[in-house]
Amino acid sequence: MNLGIIGLDSSHAVQFSRILNGRKEPFHIGGPPVTAAYPGPVSSDFDMSRDRMENFTREVTDDWGVKLYSSIEEVMNNSDAVFLEQVDARRRLTQFREMVGFGKPIYVDKPFALSTEDCKAMLKLAEEYRVPVLSTSSLRFADSLTAALKQCEWHSVVGADFFGPMPFTPTQPGYFWYGVHMADMLYRTMGTGCSKVSVIHTSQHDIITGVWKDGRIGNIRGNRCGNGNFGGTVYHESGSVFVDVSRDTRGYYECLVEQIIKMFDTGQSPVTNQEMMEVVRFLEAAGESLTTGREVVL
């Protein structure tokens, strides 16, 4: 199996190439290599795309031996499974539509889409072409969260709180840019079934509260104060378990790539389409609550 990457303006393109192609790297995953990449278009109004494409492209090709191609079509024809890494999620639906017809498994980096409408369209295409698809933040599979949930496996999870940085960027609206990290941790812990979302916002902090249909409550606390750590607390019927991602020995990118390769191999995504769609709707609703100051019913 040979893997391809669409979009080289994301640091994840570099990280995934390192993990899969760097055989001497710590925690190297002995899976198939990344052999093909298409840099994709630069989004001139998005500094994370405009200012990083050149250097990341050089790293992927010079450091990790990936061959460049000039189009999505060429990468799809020269790969068995593909990472969609373009940092600007406004391009998601257009690029996914061009990729899905090749019938090959696709990992879509976070966020999957910037609206429920686009998310539904992408999942419908995946079903029509019978293409396995996965989209998630790397934090969903962090070892510390996996260990915490293992401690809870004989107990019912009654709630959860997760924290992390919450910068905003104009081109990726609301909480889609960084809120997705904590949202994926929350959904892995709580499962689907959130019924309403509300937001408390200040210049430095946000608290997003989701109420599940069975009465459980899940919170996300985001900050713009310089603290870049991710973590949280999982509450179960007999106690609480703290999650501290900063203490993990293995990086969360390695944890994610391990799951992606399993999906490429088996054709079975570890996250259901329903859950991927609900994460998008949760973030969309949080953005609506941020704008209106009201609770949003899902």
Side-chain angles (χ1 to χ4, degrees):
M1 181 183 287
N2 290 316
L3 307 180
I5 294 177
I6 305 298
L8 297 181
D9 51 3
S10 167
S11 62
H12 294 185
V14 177
Q15 293 294 337
F16 295 170
S17 298
R18 173 186 64 81
I19 292 165
L20 289 164
N21 293 16
R23 297 191 177 277
K24 295 183 179 180
E25 287 290 301
F27 307 110
H28 166 70
I29 294 174
V34 178
T35 58
Y38 166 55
V42 171
S43 296
S44 59
D45 62 344
F46 188 9
D47 59 345
M48 302 289 278
S49 173
R50 182 187 64 237
D51 300 340
R52 305 190 305 174
M53 178 76 84
E54 184 177 350
N55 287 337
F56 288 164
T57 299
R58 187 182 304 114
E59 286 185 62
V60 166
T61 55
D62 293 354
D63 294 349
W64 307 117
V66 179
K67 182 178 179 179
L68 287 188
Y69 290 89
S70 59
S71 68
I72 288 177
E73 180 181 6
E74 286 184 316
V75 171
M76 298 304 299
N77 282 329
N78 286 278
S79 306
D80 300 297
V82 181
F83 300 88
L84 176 51
E85 295 297 321
Q86 204 85 57
V87 74
D88 188 352
R90 292 175 297 181
R91 301 183 185 275
R92 285 284 187 268
L93 177 56
T94 299
Q95 291 182 313
F96 188 83
R97 185 180 284 122
E98 187 174 349
M99 296 166 66
V100 73
F102 290 86
K104 299 175 181 180
I106 301 172
Y107 170 74
V108 182
D109 215 315
K110 62 82 183 171
F112 186 50
L114 296 178
S115 70
T116 303
E117 181 181 3
D118 281 3
C119 178
K120 287 180 178 179
M122 291 167 69
L123 291 175
K124 183 179 180 181
L125 285 167
E127 290 174 358
E128 287 177 359
Y129 287 96
R130 298 182 180 180
V131 168
V133 62
L134 168 64
S135 181
T136 178
S137 158
S138 52
L139 274 297
R140 174 185 280 266
F141 298 112
D143 280 339
S144 52
L145 179 56
T146 298
L149 294 177
K150 189 172 183 179
Q151 291 185 52
C152 299
E153 63 184 354
W154 301 111
H155 306 282
S156 296
V157 172
V158 298
D161 301 330
F162 289 100
F163 61 82
M166 189 78 84
F168 290 122
T169 186
T171 63
Q172 315 296 298
Y175 298 106
F176 280 103
W177 180 238
Y178 252 65
V180 65
H181 292 306
M182 288 79 83
D184 266 312
M185 296 175 82
L186 184 64
Y187 266 84
R188 184 185 179 194
T189 302
M190 300 280 284
T192 58
C194 184
S195 62
K196 51 188 178 181
V197 177
S198 60
V199 167
I200 298 173
H201 169 77
T202 71
S203 62
Q204 294 185 320
H205 297 277
D206 293 88
I207 296 177
I208 305 172
T209 298
V211 179
W212 265 245
K213 293 176 182 178
D214 57 10
R216 294 178 300 154
I217 294 175
N219 289 309
I220 289 173
R221 182 182 182 90
N223 81 85
R224 286 173 290 281
C225 302
N227 177 3
N229 291 333
F230 290 97
T233 304
V234 179
Y235 306 104
H236 60 78
E237 58 190 352
S238 299
S240 305
V241 184
F242 184 62
V243 178
D244 186 354
V245 176
S246 68
R247 293 182 176 272
D248 288 354
T249 301
R250 184 172 65 150
Y252 42 77
Y253 290 129
E254 284 81 356
C255 300
L256 173 59
V257 171
E258 184 177 66
Q259 295 295 323
I260 296 171
I261 297 304
K262 286 181 182 177
M263 189 272 283
F264 286 167
D265 280 339
T266 65
Q268 299 297 314
S269 174
V271 185
T272 66
N273 287 359
Q274 174 62 34
E275 187 163 329
M276 286 188 283
M277 185 161 58
E278 193 167 313
V279 169
V280 171
R281 179 57 188 137
F282 177 91
L283 293 168
E284 185 179 58
E288 293 170 11
S289 180
L290 172 65
T291 300
T292 66
R294 299 175 181 175
E295 183 178 75
V296 176
V297 176
L298 303 186

